[in-house]
Amino acid sequence: MECISVFDMLKIGVGPSSSHTLGPWRAAERWIKELKDKNKFDKVEKITVDLYGSLSLTGKGHATDYAVLLGLSGANPETIPVDTIDVIINAIKNTNILAFNNEKPLDFNVQSDIIFNKKFLPFHANALTFSAHINGRRHRSTYYSIGGGFVVQEERKVSKANKIIFYCTFPYPISYGEELLKFCHQLNLPISGVVLENEKSIRDEATIDAELKRIWDTMLECMYVGCHTEGTLPGGLKVRRRAYDMYQSLKGEKPYDTPVEWLHSIRDTEVKFRQILKWVSCFALAVNEVNASLGRVVTAPTNGSAGVIPAVLMYYLVIENHDGNFEDIKRFLLVAGEIGSIFKKGATISAAMGGCQAEIGVSSAMAAAALCELSGGTPEQVLIAAEIAMEHHLGLTCDPIGGLVQVPCIERNAMGAIKAINACELALDTDHNNVKVPLDKVVNTMWETAKDMNTKYKETSEGGLAVGVHLTDC
């Protein structure tokens, strides 16, 4: 059984895509480590990179080439100042020199040394191969970006074929919703409590708290930046940022200087139904506009769906509970992470494998479940909330116009957040004994739907809106 931590599901990185940006970036880092472990790094004379399948088809729009260059240059997606990204990329392009891991200058032509191959490799739609040229020989390593910033090597295919079992070290291993409920009853704990016990088996609670606070601070900062940044998003679509305009019509009179003070100022604004809809949408749009502009976001569970969870959590803090504090944030993120891991184990969180149901659908389910626990829902109702949210995203395609994580991706985060809140409210008024579709059934159905979905609707920009709306129309 695979052990997936909350911190695997919620990762800090750079946009616009966890599978097409963060994953390739992390793959480059892993390849450098592999070369060093094999004492080959210092012998490398030249490097080339091959992108396959979805990474090739929408790689330009998803900044996959930039991510590879940054990873090969030794930059860390969690800490790199985002305003230096263009500086690093332009330096490589202008000089045809790449500082390999910021240690070893190598000749590198961006146009010819990153090769876009439209063919798909068998194991996963997102594949990339790094080649190191040493003494006239080419040493290759293939990695697969399987969604949410998760990366596996080609050897995983061999492991699956040989049915190698991966043992989980969590005291309460969970693959299914039913197992999660069993542990809740056994330990007499809410879902967040069970998840916390598992996390405490691999790190102390002070570290857990510090990391969860860092994640929330990044989410809050992201919403803040998005709401205070005017202009047009990069890329050929020339999409105008909407969070700024929406925020201008919603903001109150209370002054603020920091993201935390900003949160408190929102609590004093008008909260009629229309305003609530607009606030939630504004928060979600803000995050994904930052994401679309190569800003820093939290993968939740992917970058393309990064706006849903912070928008719903912010809704709870500024609308539902003005006394909400870090303990509420902690419980919310713990529940969200666990629900996301159930979908990853039983289905997929990769749009290249499952369409947008695997991204917005999963993030909406995560947010609905987390909000339900904070709203007093039982563990059964928490899973009902997740199921309802996903049930009404089943079959959602991934068809980004121009291969950019902008249209329809940004608005989908607003829709996913609203659906999550609605799913929570429906679940709170539901007797679990009357439920017809349990969470585990919808997870399985989502995976079956993903397998049946035509490839052109799986982040390839070869179908749907991506071909129905042309860049010239925009």
Side-chain angles (χ1 to χ4, degrees):
M1 181 185 294
E2 187 179 10
C3 269
I4 300 177
S5 166
V6 169
F7 303 107
D8 294 323
M9 298 305 303
L10 305 174
K11 296 187 284 287
I12 298 171
V14 171
S17 170
S18 51
S19 59
H20 287 56
T21 314
L22 182 59
W25 193 326
R26 291 301 190 192
E29 292 177 331
R30 284 182 53 175
W31 183 54
I32 290 171
K33 183 178 185 304
E34 177 188 332
L35 290 173
K36 292 199 169 195
D37 289 345
K38 295 179 178 178
N39 296 316
K40 292 180 179 178
F41 179 85
D42 292 332
K43 302 173 185 176
V44 175
E45 300 160 357
K46 181 177 176 57
I47 54 179
T48 55
V49 184
D50 284 87
L51 306 177
Y52 295 95
S54 182
L55 289 186
S56 172
L57 291 167
T58 59
K60 289 287 186 180
H62 288 61
T64 304
D65 47 351
Y66 282 24
V68 166
L69 293 173
L70 292 164
L72 293 174
S73 299
N76 186 332
E78 290 195 32
T79 58
I80 182 175
V82 292
D83 56 359
T84 67
I85 289 176
D86 283 341
V87 175
I88 296 170
I89 298 299
N90 289 332
I92 297 170
K93 288 181 177 179
N94 294 334
T95 64
N96 287 332
I97 298 292
L98 184 147
F100 196 25
N101 201 39
N102 203 28
E103 298 177 43
K104 182 181 175 70
L106 294 175
D107 290 336
F108 193 93
N109 186 305
V110 174
Q111 297 299 319
S112 59
D113 292 333
I114 299 180
I115 302 100
F116 290 79
N117 304 277
K118 290 187 177 180
K119 76 172 185 177
F120 287 73
L121 298 190
F123 182 55
H124 194 279
N126 297 331
L128 67 166
T129 298
F130 296 98
S131 297
H133 301 252
I134 302 173
N135 296 326
R137 296 185 61 190
R138 182 178 293 188
H139 301 263
R140 296 183 180 88
S141 291
T142 297
Y143 294 83
Y144 297 89
S145 179
I146 61 175
F150 289 87
V151 175
V152 297
Q153 273 195 276
E154 195 167 16
E155 286 75 5
R156 165 108 176 235
K157 180 166 59 177
V158 177
S159 298
K160 288 187 109 181
N162 294 334
K163 297 184 179 178
I164 294 174
I165 299 173
F166 296 90
Y167 290 100
C168 185
T169 57
F170 282 163
Y172 309 106
I174 297 158
S175 287
Y176 306 102
E178 280 300 315
E179 291 175 334
L180 179 54
L181 288 180
K182 179 188 73 175
F183 289 127
C184 287
H185 297 152
Q186 177 183 317
L187 302 172
N188 194 27
L189 289 173
I191 288 174
S192 60
V194 174
V195 181
L196 181 60
E197 290 304 308
N198 277 338
E199 293 294 334
K200 284 162 60 177
S201 72
I202 53 177
R203 52 180 66 85
D204 62 77
E205 193 161 359
T207 301
I208 293 169
D209 287 354
E211 284 302 296
L212 289 175
K213 186 176 186 306
R214 190 165 72 100
I215 286 168
W216 168 243
D217 287 345
T218 303
M219 289 179 171
L220 181 59
E221 175 77 18
C222 190
M223 287 184 281
Y224 182 84
V225 169
C227 284
H228 293 82
T229 305
E230 190 177 12
T232 303
L233 295 174
L237 293 180
K238 296 182 173 59
V239 174
R240 178 173 173 80
R241 291 175 179 264
R242 294 160 69 186
Y244 177 88
D245 295 334
M246 189 175 288
Y247 175 62
Q248 296 305 308
S249 69
L250 291 169
K251 67 179 183 180
E253 301 298 324
K254 189 173 182 178
Y256 56 85
D257 294 309
T258 67
V260 173
E261 290 176 357
W262 175 62
L263 184 156
H264 287 285
S265 76
I266 296 172
R267 288 174 171 169
D268 291 337
T269 61
E270 190 175 35
V271 289
K272 292 179 181 178
F273 181 68
R274 287 185 66 195
Q275 278 71 34
I276 293 171
L277 285 176
K278 288 182 179 181
W279 272 120
V280 174
S281 298
C282 183
F283 299 143
L285 294 176
V287 171
N288 284 84
E289 288 172 355
V290 170
N291 178 64
S293 56
L294 277 78
R296 180 160 289 112
V297 300
V298 176
T299 295
T302 67
N303 281 26
S305 61
V308 176
I309 287 171
V312 175
L313 179 47
M314 190 71 160
Y315 157 79
Y316 177 80
L317 294 172
V318 301
I319 305 294
E320 286 296 321
N321 183 6
H322 287 192
D323 295 321
N325 54 31
F326 175 71
E327 282 304 309
D328 296 305
I329 294 168
K330 177 178 178 179
R331 290 171 62 202
F332 188 102
L333 297 177
L334 288 170
V335 174
E338 185 60 43
I339 296 301
S341 76
I342 289 174
F343 276 98
K344 184 181 184 301
K345 292 168 188 172
T348 181
I349 58 170
S350 166
M353 292 295 286
C356 200
Q357 61 173 354
E359 298 204 18
I360 293 296
V362 173
S363 63
S364 187
M366 293 165 69
L371 181 63
C372 189
E373 175 165 311
L374 292 192
S375 301
T378 64
E380 287 82 3
Q381 288 173 323
V382 169
L383 297 195
I384 292 168
E387 184 281 322
I388 292 172
M390 172 51 76
E391 184 178 331
H392 301 290
H393 282 94
L394 288 175
L396 187 61
T397 58
C398 180
D399 47 358
I401 299 173
L404 297 163
V405 192
Q406 296 181 14
V407 180
C409 321
I410 295 173
E411 281 184 357
R412 280 189 180 165
N413 280 264
M415 301 303 291
I418 296 297
K419 281 188 180 181
I421 295 169
N422 196 11
C424 167
E425 293 302 323
L426 289 172
L428 289 170
D429 286 329
T430 299
D431 183 337
H432 70 273
N433 293 309
N434 297 328
V435 169
K436 303 299 181 185
V437 184
L439 176 62
D440 294 331
K441 291 290 185 182
V442 87
V443 172
N444 183 64
T445 300
M446 178 204 148
W447 180 230
E448 292 302 318
T449 304
K451 290 187 290 185
D452 289 341
M453 190 180 289
N454 191 297
T455 301
K456 68 184 182 181
Y457 298 116
K458 295 181 180 180
E459 209 169 1
T460 60
S461 287
E462 294 181 319
L465 286 174
V467 298
V469 180
H470 303 284
L471 289 179
T472 53
D473 298 328
C474 301

